[in-house]
Amino acid sequence: MVQIRVMTDDRERGERVVEILLPLLQACTALQAGEPTRLTHRGGGLRLVLDVQPDEAPTSVRVDRADVPARPERTPRRRGHFPQDRGNSPRDCYRI
């Protein structure tokens, strides 16, 4: 069994770390995290244990940025023909 432990005598600091850590673990597609278990601590600090296992299923991740607007889809440009005033068609350019 693999466990992550958060242990500190400063309960507030430990709670801040847990607030940051849990969403990161839950968002990670490569890991499966169990529910945290709080252990008793006589001095008023924090003791927390979390079971973590690798996710053996194949994963794929798609990330969309929220701070940058998506680019509009590009419309294909129409390719023009050779100008008529050249006198030669494109096929004539390759004749020897």
Side-chain angles (χ1 to χ4, degrees):
M1 178 182 332
V2 178
Q3 292 182 334
I4 294 177
R5 295 174 182 243
V6 177
M7 299 181 168
T8 180
D9 290 332
D10 185 351
R11 184 175 193 83
E12 287 182 27
R13 187 173 190 184
E15 291 291 344
R16 286 194 337 248
V17 169
V18 170
E19 287 175 10
I20 296 168
L21 182 62
L22 287 180
L24 291 174
L25 288 172
Q26 291 167 349
C28 180
T29 58
L31 294 173
Q32 290 181 344
E35 289 296 316
T37 302
R38 294 182 187 274
L39 306 175
T40 59
H41 187 271
R42 291 185 213 144
L46 178 69
R47 300 287 185 263
L48 185 127
V49 178
L50 183 67
D51 293 332
V52 180
Q53 300 297 322
D55 188 359
E56 302 298 332
T59 60
S60 65
V61 176
R62 178 189 165 115
V63 177
D64 293 324
R65 291 184 63 157
D67 61 339
V68 177
R71 279 197 250 169
E73 288 191 29
R74 296 178 73 178
T75 55
R77 290 179 26 178
R78 297 173 77 192
R79 301 187 103 183
H81 297 287
F82 286 105
Q84 295 294 335
D85 61 337
R86 285 194 176 178
N88 294 332
S89 73
R91 278 187 238 134
D92 293 336
C93 295
Y94 296 104
R95 288 189 185 163
I96 299 176

